[in-house]
């Protein structure tokens, strides 16, 4: 294709491209046989969905270990971890009891680690600014001109400044109306 | 901005005085191709295996250099184009602004970031960009790896997946010995010597607010607003597309960004400024004209001689046509007059006849009764009078002396062949002449009638001025109403569901249907359609478009002009300003000011068609950071976020007053003129009256993140924050070590 800048004309364009091209440049620092994982390009939505799915499954296992299993008397959770319970059956724990013990230990560790960080973890989704509660977010501006808009056209739902803008609105087609609404995020989204 | 208040003085007509040509016309920027960047291996030679490569992985630009550098050595937008040229049978790969050198490359270019978010979405592009960075930094790589630690910035609360993938690339693909991550805005803040403060970082894809106390970020209070310069540029593009739907040129993304950077500014008082933005006074300063490239339509210039000849030819043709038309009109007139003559004689002949005879005679001429004959005569008289007036209008009185027609009185028998022909000719001429004479007389009479009318009108005006004026005003209003109605009807007919269109459809259906439900009691099939002339109006109502309306419209506007002229002359309260023309003048039109500024617009001119006028957009676009609802973002604005953090979340923090003294602005999107002042006045309004408030801006809002990262990595203290390859393999691919300028590990 023809050059699109003044930097080169047709005669030296190919030479310029050769100079700019980094495909042919040797890149010795790259691990030669490394293959990127399949489908590694994910959008934010996918990443967040996967992360929350994973989190949910982890939560489920923790719940299992924590609540559905009654805590045995010798757990440090039950006794506050201070007093060692007197238990004569120490030597002959069944396998089931041992497994219970282990899951309780995991739970305890998790509780400790989350307690130490103080409050909920900071994630990409929960640092997003919340919807505005300030009255200024209720201000209305003309969709066409951006001036203040005391009126709304009931037919197209466009906000407008004065009768001249209204006259212009009434000549708009459906597509343009939707376009203006979309600029304000008030358009109809068909799913 | 200098505006003269002198041009406020409006013309007596009430129209705004025209403005001089725009003082400056902007053009769109060229593609930002920066030329071939040489490999700079000096830094690599200077570095030791402990020197970190510092990469500010920003969404507007990736900046890279060595930790001992003052400024980044490489800066490129995170873009890559990789494609196979089939003709040359080879693959090309271009990165950064190099893609702007070639059309195909630009078409194939992909951005590393997901549009509108600060998260990397395309890792192939990141690989390409990193390759480019390592090439340009002259890394030797003979060991099969880059062999230098890497310091990289990442967004606040980066997603685990994004960090994991980045670490995989750095460790597994490039073989980095160790890697550290940090938050760009915190690097910038620490580089500017911040200790306690509120970091407001408005950058390319997003805006963050992070409180910092004793050099530690309070990440649990960090807040993100999904708006940055990228979104601003996108919003501007969208607004311009809507503003000029048939714009022939194209404004690319980078050009839109440059427009935002160059023309937009933060209004100090948005509400009142925007409402005055399109006022006539000073509009020439507020309205920025952007001229897109265009080709003037070539008008073939003809020589003087050719023009004259063409004009002559046209005139000649016109004359001939006029003559023909006049002749034809005259003939028609004569025919009509003869017919009228006949009917009149018929009418006279009927006077004394018995009824039966009258009926017979009328029937012979297809009349039902005498009334019809009467009407016909009247109609014809009217149309003849009209025709005559028209005719005499352009027929100049040429024949002054009365021609003689001697042969007409001679009986036919006395004439030979030649004489007969002459007689016929003379007869025609005589009737011609008579018709003209009659027309002239008729015109005289008409003139007299008009004069009489005018005299009466004048008399009436003199005796009762207010009544007369009232009458005229009512008449004027009626015409204006009519014009408006017509316009509305025209607009309504375009809409399939409008009342006007539905009634039209009904009329068509009625006309088409052979509805026999109404039994005609008397008489045969005749439905009397057409007996009343108004019946034919139905065809007018069902006809769409402008077939018949044009003449009437002209009539209406001529009438209106006439009445307005009279009013202007006699009504002291009716001034130039009140005329419809002055009221609908473009200099008073808000929409015109919005679309074309204070200058006239010529829809034929390619130059005008390729112009973009930025006016309200100049403050409307950057305002979104303060009022996200303008662009439909359902989030709180930057001031509300900052105020929420300062007054609520930090209400009982011991560092609160320290933080208030240091509101720190960084990021490219804070570079708008007036950003700092606006933020100060708005924060001042929501904070307690006596609280101290200090706002400052980073020295280089764009570069300080990189500089801060470089400075940080050159400190020995930062060594603890690096994760090694062993950590990466042992503790998970998304593992990081927490430090004061980075994210927390979840």
């Amino acid at each position: 294709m023809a050059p699109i800048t003044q930097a080169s004309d047709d005669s030296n364009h190919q030479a310029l491209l050769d100079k700019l091209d980094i495909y042919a440049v040797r890149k010795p620092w790259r691990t030669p046989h490394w293959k990127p994982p399949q489908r590694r390009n994910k959008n934010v939505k996918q990443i967040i969905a996967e992360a929350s799915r994973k989190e949910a499954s982890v939560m489920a296992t923790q719940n299992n270990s924590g609540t559905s299993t009654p805590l045995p008397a010798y757990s440090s959770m039950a006794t506050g971890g201070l007093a060692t319970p007197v238990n004569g059956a120490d030597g002959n724990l069944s396998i089931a009891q041992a497994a219970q013990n282990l899951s309780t230990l995991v739970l305890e560790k998790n509780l400790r680690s989350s307690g130490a960080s103080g409050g909920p973890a900071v994630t990409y989704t929960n640092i997003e600014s919340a919807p505005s509660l300030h009255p200024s977010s209720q201000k209305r501006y003309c969709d066409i001109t951006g001036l203040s808009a005391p009126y709304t056209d009931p037919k197209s739902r466009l906000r407008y400044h004065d009768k001249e803008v209204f006259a212009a609105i009434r000549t708009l087609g459906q597509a343009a109306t939707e376009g203006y609404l979309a600029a304000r995020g008030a358009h109809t989204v068909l799913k | 901005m200098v505006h003269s208040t002198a041009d406020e003085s409006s013309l007596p007509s009430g129209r705004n005085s025209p403005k001089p040509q725009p003082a400056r016309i902007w053009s769109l920027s060229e593609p930002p191709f920066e030329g071939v960047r040489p490999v700079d291996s000096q830094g690599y030679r200077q570095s030791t295996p402990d020197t970190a490569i510092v990469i500010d992985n920003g969404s507007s630009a990736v900046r890279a250099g060595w930790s001992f550098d003052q400024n980044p050595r490489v800066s490129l937008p995170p873009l890559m184009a990789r494609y196979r040229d089939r003709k040359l049978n080879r693959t090309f790969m271009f990165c950064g602004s190099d893609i702007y050198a070639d059309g195909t490359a630009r078409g194939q270019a992909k951005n590393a970031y997901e549009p509108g978010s600060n998260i990397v979405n395309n890792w192939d592009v990141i690989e390409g960009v990193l390759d480019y960075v390592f090439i340009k930094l002259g890394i030797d790589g003979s060991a099969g790896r880059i062999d230098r630690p890497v310091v990289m910035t990442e967004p606040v609360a980066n997603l685990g997946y994004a960090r994991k993938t980045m670490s995989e690339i750095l460790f597994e693909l490039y073989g980095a010995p160790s890697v550290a991550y940090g938050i760009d805005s915190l690097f910038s803040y620490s580089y500017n010597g911040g200790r306690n403060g509120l970091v407001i970082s408005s950058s390319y894809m997003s805006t963050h607010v992070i409180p910092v106390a004793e050099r530690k970020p309070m990440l649990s209070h960090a807040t993100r607003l999904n708006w940055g310069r990228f979104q601003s540029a996108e919003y501007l593009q969208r607004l311009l597309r809507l503003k000029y739907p048939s714009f022939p040129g194209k404004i690319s993304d980078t050009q839109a960004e440059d427009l935002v950077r160059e023309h937009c500014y933060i209004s100090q008082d948005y509400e009142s400024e925007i409402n005055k933005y399109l006022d006539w006074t000073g509009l020439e300063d507020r309205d920025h004209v952007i001229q897109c490239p265009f080709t003037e339509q070539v008008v073939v210039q003809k020589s003087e001689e050719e023009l004259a000849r063409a004009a002559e030819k046209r005139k000649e043709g016109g004359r001939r046509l006029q003559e023909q038309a006049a002749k034809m009109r005259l003939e028609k007139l004569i025919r009509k007059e003869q017919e009228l003559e006949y009917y009149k004689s018929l009418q006279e002949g009927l006077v004394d006849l018995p009824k039966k005879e009258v009926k017979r005679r009328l029937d012979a001429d297809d009349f039902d009764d005498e009334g019809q004959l009467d009407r016909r005569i009247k109609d014809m008289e009217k149309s003849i009078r009209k025709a005559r007036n028209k005719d005499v209008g352009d027929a100049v009185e040429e024949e002054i002396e009365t021609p003689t027609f001697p042969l007409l009185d001679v009986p036919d028998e006395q004439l030979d062949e030649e004489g007969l022909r002459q007689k016929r000719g003379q007869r025609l001429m005589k009737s011609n002449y008579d018709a003209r004479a009659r027309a002239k007389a008729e015109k005289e009479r008409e003139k007299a009638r008009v004069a009489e009318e005018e005299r009466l009108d004048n008399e009436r005006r003199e005796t009762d001025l207010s009544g007369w004026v009232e009458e005229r005003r009512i008449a004027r209003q009626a015409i204006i109403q009519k014009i408006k109605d017509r316009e509305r009807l025209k607009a309504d007919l375009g809409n399939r569901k409008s009342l006007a269109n539905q009634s039209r459809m009904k009329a068509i259906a009625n006309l088409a249907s052979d509805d026999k439900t109404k039994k005609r009691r008397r008489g045969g099939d005749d439905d009397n359609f057409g007996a009343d002339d108004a019946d034919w109006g139905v065809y007018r109502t069902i006809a769409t478009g402008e077939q018949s309306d044009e003449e009437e419209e002209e009539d209406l506007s001529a009438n209106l002009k006439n009445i307005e002229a009279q009013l202007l002359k006699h009504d002291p309260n009716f001034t130039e300003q009140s005329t419809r023309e002055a009221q609908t003048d473009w200099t008073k039109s808000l929409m015109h000011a919005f679309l074309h500024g204070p200058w006239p617009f010529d829809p034929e001119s390619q130059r005008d068609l390729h112009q973009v006028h930025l006016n309200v957009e100049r403050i409307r676009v950057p305002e979104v950071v303060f009022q996200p609802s303008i662009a439909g973002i359902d989030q709180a604005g930057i001031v509300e976020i900052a105020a929420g953090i300062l007054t609520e979340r930090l209400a009982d923090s011991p560092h609160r007053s320290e933080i208030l003294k240091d509101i720190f602005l960084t990021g490219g999107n804070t570079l708008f003129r007036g950003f700092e002042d606006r933020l100060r006045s708005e924060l001042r309004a929501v904070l307690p009256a006596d609280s101290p408030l200090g706002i400052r801006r980073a020295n280089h809002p764009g570069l300080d993140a990189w500089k801060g990262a470089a400075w940080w990595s050159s400190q020995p203290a930062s060594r603890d924050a690096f994760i090694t390859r062993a950590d990466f393999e042992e503790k998970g691919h998304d593992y990081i070590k927490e430090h004061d300028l980075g994210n927390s590990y979840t």
Side-chain angles (χ1 to χ4, degrees):
Chain A
M1 203 189 253
I4 54 169
T5 62
Q6 307 300 315
S8 64
D9 55 34
D10 278 335
S11 60
N12 60 17
H13 187 60
Q14 195 54 48
L16 176 74
L17 288 192
D18 287 344
K19 253 192 244 169
L20 293 176
D21 176 31
I22 60 165
Y23 187 76
V25 177
R26 222 171 60 84
K27 297 181 259 301
W29 55 79
R30 281 177 78 105
T31 310
H33 303 300
W34 187 74
K35 281 265 176 302
Q38 292 263 303
R39 280 195 280 278
R40 65 175 165 167
N41 292 344
K42 295 179 186 170
N43 59 34
V44 175
K45 215 170 144 192
Q46 282 172 312
I47 300 174
I48 291 174
E50 274 171 26
S52 62
R53 235 191 338 265
K54 206 158 118 195
E55 205 172 300
S57 75
V58 170
M59 287 289 279
T61 49
Q62 281 179 7
N63 286 344
N64 273 341
S65 62
T67 55
S68 64
T69 316
L71 291 176
Y74 45 78
S75 160
S76 64
M77 284 284 284
T79 56
L82 290 171
T84 311
V86 183
N87 196 324
D90 242 355
N92 48 7
L93 271 176
S94 69
I95 292 177
Q97 275 173 328
Q100 264 183 7
N101 208 353
L102 183 63
S103 69
T104 323
L105 282 175
V106 169
L107 181 66
E108 277 164 15
K109 187 167 179 290
N110 283 343
L111 274 177
R112 258 201 304 280
S113 70
S114 67
S117 68
V122 180
T123 65
Y124 186 77
T125 37
N126 71 10
I127 65 165
E128 230 173 332
S129 158
S132 175
L133 300 169
H134 200 267
S136 76
S137 63
Q138 305 299 317
K139 276 184 201 154
R140 285 155 180 257
Y141 297 101
C142 175
D143 284 318
I144 319 291
T145 62
L147 310 188
S148 62
Y151 317 107
T152 304
D153 173 19
K155 198 170 124 217
S156 60
R157 291 179 292 123
L158 287 174
R159 298 168 181 171
Y160 61 95
H161 177 67
D162 65 358
K163 62 176 182 180
E164 196 192 340
V165 181
F166 179 68
I169 284 180
R170 280 292 159 105
T171 63
L172 291 177
Q174 182 73 23
T177 308
E178 278 298 303
Y180 277 112
L181 287 173
R184 174 159 58 88
H187 57 304
T188 320
V189 183
L190 295 175
K191 278 183 184 158
Chain B
M1 286 215 177
V2 189
H3 24 114
S4 48
T5 41
D7 53 31
E8 175 78 316
S9 61
S10 47
L11 298 181
S13 62
R15 298 173 202 195
N16 292 307
S17 54
K19 304 276 186 182
Q21 278 304 299
R24 179 169 172 202
I25 292 187
W26 282 265
S27 55
L28 292 174
S29 50
E30 286 286 313
F33 177 55
E34 290 163 1
V36 183
R37 189 195 304 276
V39 173
D40 178 7
S41 55
Q42 180 270 331
Y44 182 71
R45 289 195 299 273
Q46 192 188 332
S47 69
T48 65
D50 263 353
T51 320
I53 301 172
V54 181
I55 300 173
D56 175 9
N57 195 14
S59 43
S60 70
V62 174
R63 302 180 178 91
W66 299 96
S67 56
F68 50 73
D69 285 336
Q70 284 307 304
N71 282 302
R73 292 184 188 234
V74 183
S75 170
L76 73 159
L79 298 166
M80 182 192 75
R82 187 171 56 192
Y83 61 93
R84 188 154 187 89
D85 190 321
R86 288 180 191 276
K87 232 192 302 182
L88 298 171
N89 198 24
R90 87 178 243 213
T91 306
F92 286 103
M93 181 158 134
F94 303 104
C95 283
S97 56
D98 291 357
I99 61 150
Y100 295 114
D102 184 70
T104 318
R106 196 165 67 157
Q108 297 284 337
K110 303 219 165 43
N111 198 314
Y113 284 83
E114 185 173 330
S117 91
N118 52 355
I119 297 293
V120 174
N121 168 249
N122 194 327
W123 296 97
D124 303 310
V125 175
I126 285 291
E127 271 183 39
V129 167
L130 289 176
D131 279 342
Y132 183 90
V133 165
F134 297 145
I135 289 171
K136 297 303 176 189
L137 287 180
I139 285 169
D140 174 35
S142 49
R145 50 182 190 268
I146 51 170
D147 228 5
R148 296 282 182 273
V150 174
V151 174
M152 197 172 256
T153 62
E154 62 176 7
V156 183
N158 193 16
L159 288 166
Y161 177 81
R163 185 183 302 131
K164 166 176 157 257
T165 318
M166 183 62 89
S167 290
E168 279 168 8
I169 288 178
L170 289 174
F171 283 117
E172 292 176 357
L173 175 61
Y174 293 112
S178 59
V179 174
Y181 294 103
I183 296 171
D184 47 359
S185 47
L186 295 178
F187 280 133
S188 174
Y189 185 55
S190 86
Y191 187 70
N192 283 277
R195 187 183 172 90
N196 292 301
L198 187 71
V199 179
I200 297 185
S201 154
S202 191
S203 55
Y204 190 64
M205 292 285 197
S206 56
T207 295
H208 286 101
V209 181
I210 313 167
V212 177
E214 292 301 329
R215 298 213 169 91
K216 285 199 195 309
M218 303 158 94
L219 285 176
S220 52
H221 295 317
T223 308
R224 182 183 70 239
L225 168 63
N226 296 327
W227 192 267
R229 207 178 61 233
F230 169 85
Q231 284 90 343
S232 291
E234 206 182 28
Y235 186 54
L236 177 69
Q237 260 180 316
R238 187 189 280 251
L239 288 180
L240 288 181
R241 261 202 306 276
L242 291 166
K243 189 171 179 179
Y244 304 103
S246 54
F247 189 67
K250 191 182 179 304
I251 298 177
S252 71
D253 298 354
T254 52
Q255 285 168 338
E257 266 170 44
D258 288 339
L259 288 182
V260 169
R261 224 189 321 249
E262 196 173 351
H263 301 283
C264 292
Y265 65 96
I266 301 272
S267 166
Q268 293 308 311
D269 182 1
Y270 185 72
E271 196 78 357
S272 65
E273 185 168 358
I274 194 115
N275 277 331
K276 292 203 197 91
Y277 220 86
L278 294 175
D279 287 358
W280 189 257
T281 311
L283 183 56
E284 73 275 22
D285 293 327
R286 289 188 297 264
D287 186 89
H288 282 191
V289 186
I290 320 292
Q291 181 74 59
C292 295
F294 66 100
T295 43
E296 194 64 77
Q297 256 158 1
V298 187
V299 181
V300 183
Q301 278 296 332
K302 282 183 182 159
S303 71
E304 198 89 335
E305 208 174 305
E306 275 175 321
L307 283 175
R309 210 177 310 137
E312 184 55 40
K313 216 168 167 184
R314 237 187 344 260
K315 228 189 262 170
E316 181 65 30
R319 208 156 34 228
R320 212 167 33 231
L321 269 178
Q322 267 176 2
E323 272 167 21
Q324 268 173 10
K327 204 169 147 197
M328 247 159 64
R329 265 205 309 274
L330 198 61
E331 271 165 23
K332 219 162 141 192
L333 185 61
I334 290 169
R335 212 173 317 125
K336 264 190 187 160
E337 272 176 338
Q338 282 167 351
E339 250 175 84
L340 179 66
E341 204 67 26
Y342 170 77
Y343 286 133
K344 270 190 176 160
S345 69
L346 180 68
Q347 200 179 26
E348 274 161 25
L350 292 178
V351 177
D352 300 326
L353 286 174
K355 245 189 183 164
K356 208 164 185 189
E357 180 62 11
V358 169
K359 175 101 176 96
R360 195 189 60 76
R361 286 202 183 181
L362 282 175
D363 271 355
D365 280 303
D366 282 345
F367 287 112
D368 285 345
D369 53 17
E370 278 177 78
Q372 208 172 352
L373 175 63
D374 213 37
R375 205 156 50 227
R376 170 72 67 84
I377 288 174
K378 268 193 197 132
D379 282 353
M380 288 187 79
E381 268 174 347
K382 210 156 90 194
S383 81
I384 286 172
R385 193 175 330 134
K386 220 171 166 184
R388 268 182 193 150
N389 282 341
K390 230 181 195 169
D391 202 32
V392 176
D394 58 8
V396 197
E397 292 125 78
E398 292 152 351
E399 321 129 58
I400 292 125
E401 83 254 37
T402 322
T404 52
F405 310 104
L407 281 178
L408 285 186
D409 298 333
V410 184
D412 284 358
E413 294 88 60
Q414 293 171 20
L415 293 171
D416 54 358
E417 198 74 352
E418 179 63 19
L420 273 174
R421 198 171 325 125
Q422 274 187 11
K423 189 180 169 184
R424 261 204 305 274
Q426 279 189 5
R427 184 178 291 144
L428 196 65
M429 266 159 61
K430 180 167 186 310
S431 52
N432 239 341
Y433 172 77
D434 288 352
R436 276 225 185 92
R438 272 196 302 276
K440 226 180 345 188
E442 188 67 38
K443 199 185 174 197
E444 289 294 315
R445 239 174 298 149
E446 182 69 21
K447 236 186 200 161
R449 194 181 61 80
V450 170
E452 175 65 13
E453 246 173 41
E454 202 176 307
R455 194 185 61 76
L456 284 176
D457 193 53
N458 284 345
E459 218 165 74
R460 179 161 151 52
R461 188 177 69 233
E462 270 148 35
T463 54
D464 177 18
L465 180 64
S466 62
W468 181 87
V469 162
E470 194 53 34
E471 215 168 69
R472 286 298 134 108
R473 291 207 155 188
I474 289 171
R476 173 172 174 271
Q477 211 48 51
I479 293 181
I480 288 178
Q481 193 54 47
K482 228 175 191 172
I483 293 178
K484 276 187 184 161
D485 282 352
R486 185 148 299 155
E487 276 165 5
R488 179 168 308 160
L489 186 70
K490 224 184 252 173
D492 273 3
L493 281 179
N495 179 2
R496 215 165 47 82
K497 286 180 190 157
S498 69
L499 188 66
N501 215 0
Q502 284 186 347
S503 66
R504 171 173 168 261
M505 285 301 170
K506 217 175 263 173
I508 291 178
N510 275 343
L511 278 179
S513 74
D514 293 323
D515 202 356
K516 293 280 190 272
T517 48
K518 271 190 225 157
K519 290 271 186 266
R520 296 192 182 95
R521 308 245 161 83
R522 294 163 285 134
D525 277 345
D526 191 14
D527 58 358
N528 290 327
F529 184 90
D532 183 1
D533 280 346
D535 288 353
W536 300 103
V538 76
Y539 288 109
R540 184 182 294 251
T541 58
I542 66 169
T544 51
E546 312 88 45
Q547 302 144 349
S548 57
D549 288 357
E550 259 166 35
E551 289 166 37
E552 269 182 78
E553 220 151 272
E554 260 168 44
D555 262 12
L556 281 180
S557 55
N559 273 347
L560 184 67
K561 276 244 169 79
N562 198 6
I563 291 181
E564 282 184 343
Q566 287 181 350
L567 278 170
L568 273 178
K569 208 162 155 194
H570 302 293
D571 180 359
N573 296 327
F574 192 87
T575 59
E576 271 283 330
Q577 286 197 40
S578 343
T579 58
R580 188 171 157 82
E581 202 171 307
Q583 278 175 352
T584 53
D585 190 61
W586 67 261
T587 59
K588 298 194 131 188
S589 160
L590 179 81
M591 285 304 278
H592 186 100
F594 174 60
L595 293 172
H596 309 297
W599 296 287
F601 173 71
D602 172 14
E604 298 291 313
S605 147
Q606 288 298 312
R607 186 178 140 270
D608 285 7
L609 280 174
H610 283 79
Q611 274 180 355
V612 168
H613 290 255
L614 292 182
N615 37 53
V616 284
E617 292 82 8
R618 293 181 58 206
I619 58 174
R620 188 181 180 184
V621 168
E623 180 69 16
V624 180
V625 176
F626 290 89
Q627 299 185 50
S629 63
I630 291 181
I633 307 288
D634 194 16
Q635 288 191 297
I638 190 168
V639 173
E640 204 182 330
I641 297 173
I645 291 175
L646 291 173
T647 58
E648 284 162 34
R649 298 210 210 171
L650 297 183
D652 34 60
S653 161
H655 304 289
R656 182 165 171 267
S657 64
E658 293 296 310
I659 288 174
L660 273 176
K661 279 186 206 148
D662 191 18
I663 313 280
F664 176 77
L665 298 180
T666 183
N669 201 37
T670 62
L671 286 171
F672 288 117
R673 173 160 60 85
F675 195 99
E676 224 175 306
D677 297 335
R678 169 78 181 273
L679 192 65
R680 178 174 295 118
S681 62
E682 291 227 350
L683 275 181
R684 173 60 70 205
V686 292
L687 290 174
D690 53 345
S691 51
L693 180 66
I695 297 189
R696 64 175 172 137
R697 189 199 290 268
N699 284 332
H700 304 279
L703 278 183
D704 277 357
W706 185 87
K707 290 181 173 198
W711 177 83
W712 175 80
S713 60
S714 65
Q715 303 299 306
S718 68
R719 289 296 128 180
D720 294 339
F722 280 79
I723 41 170
T724 61
R725 176 141 196 169
D727 290 330
F728 166 76
E729 274 159 9
E730 184 195 335
K731 298 178 177 164
H733 287 189
D734 62 345
Y735 178 71
I736 48 164
K737 289 183 177 164
E738 290 183 10
H739 60 96
D740 285 353
L741 302 177
N743 279 311
S744 53
Y745 180 64
T746 52

